Amino acid sequence: MRFISPKTDFAFKKIFGSDESKDILISFLNAMIYSGESVIQDLEILDPYSAGDVVELKDTYLDVKAVLEDRTTVLIEMQIWNVEAFEKRVVYNLCKTYGNQLKSGQGYFDLNPVIALTITDFKLFPSTQKVISCFCFQEKEERFAYQENELAMVFVELPKFNKQLEELESVIDKWIYFIKEAPSLEIIPDNLREIPQLEKALTIANQAGLSVSELEKLRKQEMVLEDTRGALSLAQREGIEQGIIQGIEQGIIQGIEQGIMQGRVQGERRVIVRQLERRFGKLTSNIMALIEALTNQELERLSEAIWDFKTSKDLLNWLQQKSN
C-alpha cells in the first residue's frame, strides 16, 4: 500500500471534508480539541469536498468548515508554510466567522461559538514543547475566563511530535501520527486499526483507491508544494549568500576607507617628523614614541606649532604635556 499525504489540499479535503467523512472528522476533532473525549456526537460539514472541485493548490493553506450539533462552528486549517502575518490571519478568520453569523435584525444572543483548529507543519511557539496549544480569552493576572468557549484557537505543531509508531498510546497520538507520517506507511498498522475512523481515513488515503484523474490532481499539488519548498530554500540560500557578499563588500569599503585614513595620517606624521629633523637634527627615540602616540587632532596641532619650538627640549616638553 501507498498512502497520500494529508498535508496536501486534495488529500486533506478528501479525507476530512467529503460526504463520507463525518465520522472521521468527529473522531479527529474530539482528539484535537477535546483531548479524546467524545464531546462531539454529530456535525455538518459545510461545502463538502467533491473530487471534481479540486483543480490546483489553494494558496498555502487548506481548510474544512464544520458546524457541531450545539451550533459551534469549527474552522480546520492546515498550514504548510510559515508565511508573513500568518498568526494575524488565523485571528482574522476566527473573528470574521464569528461576526458574520448575524444577519439583519438578529441580536447578539444568536451568536454561536467559533473554534479555529490550525495544524502547522512548522514550529510556531518556540517557547513551549507542547504539541497542542489552546488559547481563549482570560483575565491577565488571575486567569479566569471571559465568555468561556465563545472564541478559541487550537494549534497542533507537527514538528514537535516525535513519537514512533510503537510508542503511540492515545487517540491523540494516533491522529497526529497519521497526519504527519501517513506517506511512510506500507500497511495499516494494527494499533491504528484500533480506531475505526482512523482505519477508514487510511483506506481513503490509499492511492490504490484513487481514480486516474484524482492521482493526476494529487501529483500536480505535490509538484507545486515541492516547487514552493525549493523556491523558499533557494530564496533563503540566496539571501544568506547576498548577506555575506554585502558584508564582505561593506567590510572592504570600510577597510579601504580606514586604510586611506590611516595612510593619510601616517603620511602627515612623516612630513612633520622630517620638518622637525631639519630644525633639530635626528629625533630621539623618546620623542618619536611620543609623536606616534598623538591623536589625529593633536598631530594637527603639532604641525601648526612646529615653528614655535626654539629647541628640541621645548618640543619634548610639549609632547610630554599631551601624553599626560
Side-chain angles (χ1 to χ4, degrees):
M1 290 183 177
R2 292 188 62 189
F3 301 94
I4 58 179
S5 172
K7 298 176 186 178
T8 64
D9 182 56
F10 172 85
F12 191 85
K13 288 187 174 180
K14 183 173 179 63
I15 295 167
F16 295 105
S18 66
D19 289 324
E20 58 183 313
S21 300
K22 181 184 290 190
D23 57 335
I24 295 174
L25 189 58
I26 289 173
S27 177
F28 179 68
L29 293 181
N30 277 329
M32 298 300 101
I33 300 175
Y34 298 111
S35 302
E37 299 293 327
S38 298
V39 174
I40 304 170
Q41 297 296 321
D42 194 15
L43 56 75
E44 176 189 0
I45 299 175
L46 302 184
D47 299 322
Y49 157 84
S50 171
D53 294 336
V54 178
V55 177
E56 57 187 11
L57 186 66
K58 180 184 175 184
D59 198 6
T60 57
Y61 63 94
L62 334 165
D63 58 12
V64 171
K65 183 186 292 187
V67 176
L68 311 184
E69 56 187 340
D70 66 354
R71 306 312 299 164
T72 295
T73 297
V74 183
L75 308 174
I76 308 104
E77 175 180 331
M78 177 152 189
Q79 182 72 15
I80 305 296
W81 315 116
N82 191 2
V83 297
E84 187 175 4
F86 159 66
E87 295 94 331
K88 289 182 178 289
R89 194 188 74 208
V90 174
V91 177
Y92 174 79
N93 287 338
L94 177 75
C95 296
K96 182 179 179 181
T97 301
Y98 186 74
N100 283 351
Q101 295 178 73
L102 293 185
K103 308 301 180 184
S104 178
Q106 288 185 300
Y108 299 122
F109 287 109
D110 294 316
L111 288 170
N112 294 302
V114 178
I115 301 172
L117 171 61
T118 306
I119 306 104
T120 66
D121 203 24
F122 52 86
K123 291 183 180 180
L124 185 61
F125 307 116
S127 61
T128 179
Q129 291 304 310
K130 290 181 62 179
V131 177
I132 300 178
S133 301
C134 302
F135 298 87
C136 60
F137 287 113
Q138 286 186 335
E139 200 281 329
K140 187 174 182 180
E141 294 181 358
E142 297 185 9
R143 306 292 182 181
F144 60 86
Y146 176 81
Q147 290 295 300
E148 188 173 10
N149 300 324
E150 193 70 12
L151 290 174
M153 294 183 294
V154 180
F155 294 89
V156 182
E157 300 172 81
L158 296 180
K160 292 181 179 179
F161 185 82
N162 298 312
K163 289 186 178 181
Q164 302 301 311
L165 182 62
E166 63 275 7
E167 299 174 317
L168 305 181
E169 299 176 354
S170 66
V171 63
I172 302 171
D173 290 346
K174 294 173 183 179
W175 272 116
I176 296 177
Y177 185 88
F178 164 73
I179 296 290
K180 186 178 180 181
E181 303 292 348
S184 67
L185 298 175
E186 296 180 354
I187 60 170
I188 301 178
D190 291 338
N191 59 345
L192 298 187
R193 287 184 184 275
E194 295 171 356
I195 303 172
Q197 298 84 2
L198 189 46
E199 181 181 11
K200 181 178 177 181
L202 280 162
T203 301
I204 294 174
N206 184 3
Q207 286 193 19
L210 301 180
S211 67
V212 174
S213 175
E214 287 178 322
L215 285 171
E216 180 61 24
K217 292 182 177 70
L218 176 63
R219 295 288 181 267
K220 287 181 178 179
Q221 289 192 359
E222 289 175 339
M223 288 175 62
V224 172
L225 287 174
E226 190 58 36
D227 288 346
T228 304
R229 184 180 291 108
L232 290 173
S233 177
L234 177 61
Q236 183 181 38
R237 186 170 68 251
E238 289 180 342
I240 293 172
E241 292 174 352
Q242 184 63 28
I244 293 173
I245 292 171
Q246 289 177 348
I248 292 173
E249 290 175 347
Q250 185 64 31
I252 291 173
I253 292 172
Q254 291 176 349
I256 291 173
E257 291 175 348
Q258 185 176 3
I260 291 172
M261 178 62 71
Q262 290 177 347
R264 185 175 64 82
V265 172
Q266 289 298 330
E268 292 177 355
R269 201 184 307 272
R270 284 194 293 270
V271 169
I272 292 172
V273 168
R274 284 199 297 269
Q275 289 175 338
L276 290 170
E277 287 181 337
R278 290 195 192 102
R279 295 203 62 199
F280 307 118
K282 186 173 179 61
L283 302 177
T284 64
S285 58
N286 187 20
I287 290 177
M288 288 295 298
L290 290 171
I291 292 174
E292 286 293 329
L294 293 176
T295 64
N296 294 348
Q297 189 175 13
E298 290 171 343
L299 199 61
E300 290 178 3
R301 292 177 182 173
L302 175 59
S303 177
E304 295 171 355
I306 285 177
W307 304 105
D308 296 334
F309 303 130
K310 302 300 181 183
T311 65
S312 60
K313 186 175 182 181
D314 294 336
L315 170 63
L316 179 60
N317 290 337
W318 187 92
L319 291 171
Q320 287 175 336
Q321 288 176 359
K322 298 300 179 184
S323 65
N324 293 329

